[in-house]
Amino acid sequence: MVNRPSLFFILLGGLFCALSIGLLTVQLPENTSILRLIHPSDNLDLLLVQSYTLPRIAIALLAGGTLAFASLLLQQVMGNPLASDSTLGISSGAQFSLFTVAIFAPQFLQYSTGLIALVGAIFSLLFVLVLARKTLSPLLLILAGLVVNLYFGTCTAMMMLFYPEEARGLAQWGAGSLVQESWHDSQQLALQSAVCFSLIFLLRRPLSILTLNDSNAKSLGVPVGKLRFIGIIISAYLIASVVSAVGMIGFIGLSAATLVRQLGIRTFTWQLSASIVLGALLLAITDLILQLVNVYYQISLPTGAATALLGTPLLLWLMFRTLPHSGRLTTTHFQKIRQYRPHFTWLIIAFFVVSVILALGLGKNAQNSWQMLIPEHTFQLDILALRYPRMLIAICAGILLSVAGVLLQRLTLNPMASPELLGVSSGAGMGILVLLFVFSAQDTLWFWLAGISGALLALFILASINQRSGMLPEKVLLTGISLSALFDTLQRIVIASGDPRANQLISWTSGSTQSLAPTLAIPFTLLALILLVVSLLFSRWLDLLRLQSPMAQALGLNILQTRWILIIFSAILTALATLMVGPLSFIGLLVPHLTHFLGVYKARQQLLISALLGSTIMLIADWIGRQILFPYEIPAGLVATLVGGSYFLLMMRKV
């Protein structure tokens, strides 16, 4: 009798064979046997299949098996069922290092792309381990890995923005393209994988003992520390090898390793073997389906981005299944550091005034020297007329994101909640993406409606997924970051397609204050101030919410109604700010923490001080972006992301 795992592998193998035969039959000349592929030929159609299609199938099998093997090995040595190349930021680190070298030092690529990718992979993995080193809980490791992914993605987007010609080919490769022109990559990856597989199979017995706790494993004479180090290094090397060969292939490793465990395969040796076969079949089947879609419908999608798109729901399911209560984030009140004093207000106002003066007056001229503009003649007045709308837009975005951050942190009682980390900004971006590529609309009104609708949809998905779990802050946060990762995947698919509208999407998502029409600066400033005043009406609700839900409800607060009103209001604020300066600015995370550091605890006071601080930070970010690489410009959204993202990564160490 055939058991369940065997039947599953037989069915997958049969599907792979059927798809392979179907694809080869379509590509081969009429009345040509598939057996002719194993013989040399001068026929051009046969040569194309032998040099392109067959190597592509081979690299898909090798890459999928290698990623699955590396992910299962990572899970074993780290004791984390969610560890993989995608969740720990290893792939994104390898891709970032290859992008950097390819753009700034391409001469080094001729020596060893694998070594370059390995350096980036190890650096990214060490970054994640350092951030979560206090407990190394599954939650914190995955949270750190997902944020590192987003952080490296921002840096990669910056390079693509400044070097569009150099990055054009890299974009498709980075999205996980399995297109091959020879057998070279397959042979090289096969050799690298075979050596690593052999080493791990030699160590399979001591590695299997790592399922015990460290003390028991050490009592049996197992060198736990050395084994973990060897396992992590070999996993990183295998992942880096795949990334250097075909780019980022999302979630195949995690999917295969999870299915192996779900099939009930117990022994570590058989798990390793099964993961290789399962990962190879999953990636090859996915790629074969995409090739057939391209043949019949002329729709070309990068394989890696497609697997990442399918893998995000899997990651969410796994997180909710395997993280019931592990690694909880702090949900209690912030500790009082100091008492707020009135002179802080005057210092913040003075800082804001200085920022306005810098944003308006100080800058570099054509000779690349600093110049302070004084409105004495028409030319300088014209320059000021160009600068003041950007200054007002930066102020608007700072107010809206800061207020939204305060609302969400008080609503969820989660000090790490923010519009960006809850997927609201990504939802607005997804609405813009759909508008550009599905409806091809360019009218400004439709942009605003699409952004707000996307933000509301993201919040609805967030609430729907987490409603049954009681909106646990750690799961809400992980859901939001997963939604952000999903948007990043969709963006990579669009960019890799080569569509001219992708450049518009990249420019918008980078977060420049010049993307909004100058004539709208004053109306939107008034709108931001009106929304700030409206937010003050919620001050009593916010103060009561800090007392926890039972106490707030006992004092007469309708918890359900309050939550939905604040969530919708936060979505509107975030969508407006995102449409002004792009997504992922982290201002909504950073500013509420600064106000707490200053000793601000009452809701009304915190909203006002946060709006002032957020405006100041956005002004400084915009000014730095305009001046640091003059005459080139770094969009304010990217500068704010790098600053705010760094702060978030530091906060991870305190969780």
Side-chain angles (χ1 to χ4, degrees), residues 311-540:
T312 302
L314 169 69
L315 177 63
L316 276 173
W317 177 75
L318 286 173
M319 287 189 299
F320 279 58
R321 181 184 176 90
T322 60
L323 300 177
H325 300 291
S326 59
R328 287 180 61 89
L329 301 177
T330 304
T331 59
T332 55
H333 304 313
F334 288 90
Q335 292 183 352
K336 294 190 176 184
I337 299 175
R338 57 166 56 89
Q339 184 178 359
Y340 187 78
R341 298 180 181 179
H343 72 270
F344 287 158
T345 303
W346 296 108
L347 288 174
I348 295 171
I349 293 174
F351 192 29
F352 174 76
V353 172
V354 171
S355 302
V356 170
I357 294 172
L358 285 176
L360 274 179
L362 186 61
K364 292 183 178 179
N365 55 25
Q367 290 74 37
N368 208 22
S369 58
W370 292 97
Q371 179 183 9
M372 190 70 186
L373 294 182
I374 301 174
E376 295 177 340
H377 48 78
T378 307
F379 177 72
Q380 294 193 353
L381 284 173
D382 291 339
I383 295 178
L384 290 175
L386 291 174
R387 289 181 180 175
Y388 90 83
R390 300 188 59 170
M391 179 197 74
L392 292 178
I393 292 167
I395 290 173
C396 289
I399 291 174
L400 296 173
L401 287 172
S402 301
V403 171
V406 171
L407 294 178
L408 288 172
Q409 287 191 13
R410 283 181 170 263
L411 177 63
T412 62
L413 296 179
N414 187 346
M416 299 184 76
S418 78
E420 298 80 17
L421 298 180
L422 293 183
V424 181
S425 296
S426 297
M430 209 174 296
I432 297 296
L433 186 147
V434 171
L435 182 71
L436 284 174
F437 289 88
V438 177
F439 300 102
S440 300
Q442 296 291 333
D443 188 78
T444 304
L445 176 62
W446 287 108
F447 268 74
W448 292 98
L449 291 176
I452 294 174
S453 300
L456 288 172
L457 178 62
L459 275 174
F460 176 77
I461 294 172
L462 190 82
S464 300
I465 292 174
N466 291 277
Q467 189 172 10
R468 293 184 63 183
S469 64
M471 297 295 285
L472 287 176
E474 63 270 21
K475 291 187 175 180
V476 171
L477 190 60
L478 284 165
T479 307
I481 294 179
S482 298
L483 289 175
S484 299
L486 179 64
F487 169 69
D488 180 64
T489 300
L490 290 171
Q491 183 179 335
R492 282 194 283 129
I493 291 175
V494 167
I495 293 171
S497 68
D499 194 299
R501 290 170 293 184
N503 293 328
Q504 185 179 358
L505 183 67
I506 294 174
S507 177
W508 177 80
T509 54
S510 63
S512 175
T513 54
Q514 65 180 352
S515 58
L516 197 67
T519 54
L520 296 176
I522 293 178
F524 275 106
T525 302
L526 296 175
L527 178 61
L529 293 174
I530 291 171
L531 291 173
L532 173 61
V533 172
V534 172
S535 70
L536 298 177
L537 301 177
F538 305 136
S539 298
R540 180 179 175 274

Side-chain angles (χ1 to χ4, degrees), residues 22-323:
L23 178 65
L24 294 174
T25 302
V26 171
Q27 293 182 342
L28 286 172
E30 291 185 9
N31 301 321
T32 302
S33 172
I34 292 178
L35 295 176
R36 287 198 57 189
L37 290 172
I38 63 176
H39 301 292
S41 174
D42 294 330
N43 185 289
L44 180 59
D45 292 330
L46 280 174
L47 285 173
L48 289 175
V49 175
Q50 290 173 338
S51 301
Y52 287 84
T53 304
L54 292 181
R56 179 166 178 170
I57 294 174
I59 199 72
L61 291 169
L62 285 167
T66 301
L67 289 176
F69 181 92
S71 297
L72 188 69
L73 180 58
L74 274 176
Q75 292 178 9
Q76 182 73 8
V77 299
M78 299 182 72
N80 187 343
L82 295 180
S84 74
D85 57 305
S86 304
T87 56
L88 295 185
I90 301 173
S91 294
S92 60
Q95 183 199 32
F96 174 73
S97 64
L98 283 168
F99 258 67
T100 304
V101 173
I103 291 175
F104 297 107
Q107 65 273 16
F108 291 110
L109 292 176
Q110 61 182 327
Y111 299 112
S112 176
T113 56
L115 180 60
I116 295 168
L118 178 62
V119 171
I122 291 176
F123 173 76
S124 179
L125 182 60
L126 288 176
F127 200 5
V128 171
L129 292 176
V130 168
L131 289 172
R133 71 180 186 273
K134 276 191 177 181
T135 62
L136 289 180
S137 71
L139 171 70
L140 293 184
L141 280 169
I142 303 309
L143 184 59
L146 290 174
V147 174
V148 167
N149 273 329
L150 294 175
Y151 201 68
F152 278 128
T154 298
C155 296
T156 303
M158 188 182 298
M159 287 188 287
M160 293 177 64
L161 189 66
F162 282 101
Y163 302 94
E165 295 299 325
E166 294 86 343
R168 184 171 298 170
L170 291 171
Q172 186 172 6
W173 168 84
S177 174
L178 296 179
V179 176
Q180 299 292 297
E181 297 179 356
S182 69
W183 289 90
H184 175 266
D185 288 340
S186 302
Q187 293 170 348
Q188 187 174 7
L189 184 57
L191 179 61
Q192 293 168 329
S193 301
V195 173
C196 294
F197 290 174
S198 302
L199 289 174
I200 294 302
F201 274 105
L202 288 174
L203 297 172
R204 64 188 184 280
R205 289 188 178 179
L207 283 170
S208 63
I209 299 177
L210 290 181
T211 52
L212 306 174
N213 59 47
D214 288 0
S215 58
N216 289 337
K218 288 178 181 177
S219 67
L220 294 173
V222 175
V224 175
K226 291 181 180 179
L227 276 179
R228 281 216 173 100
F229 177 77
I230 292 172
I232 288 173
I233 292 298
I234 290 179
S235 298
Y237 177 73
L238 288 172
I239 294 165
S241 300
V242 174
V243 171
S244 64
V246 296
M248 292 179 65
I249 306 293
F251 292 106
I252 280 292
L254 180 63
S255 303
T258 302
L259 283 172
V260 166
R261 298 182 189 278
Q262 292 294 318
L263 288 171
I265 301 174
R266 301 300 179 191
T267 63
F268 181 59
T269 303
W270 281 108
Q271 285 178 349
L272 287 174
S273 303
S275 67
I276 296 173
V277 176
L278 189 54
L281 289 175
L282 286 176
L283 184 57
I285 288 170
T286 303
D287 187 58
L288 287 168
I289 292 172
L290 292 177
Q291 288 190 70
L292 288 170
V293 168
N294 189 27
V295 169
Y296 288 106
Y297 301 101
Q298 288 73 51
I299 299 174
S300 179
L301 294 174
T303 309
T307 58
L309 193 64
L310 297 172
T312 302
L314 169 69
L315 177 63
L316 276 173
W317 177 75
L318 286 173
M319 287 189 299
F320 279 58
R321 181 184 176 90
T322 60
L323 300 177

Side-chain angles (χ1 to χ4, degrees), residues 560-574:
L560 183 62
Q561 180 182 350
T562 299
R563 281 178 176 170
W564 278 109
I565 290 175
L566 292 179
I567 283 174
I568 293 173
F569 188 71
S570 300
I572 294 172
L573 294 176
T574 306

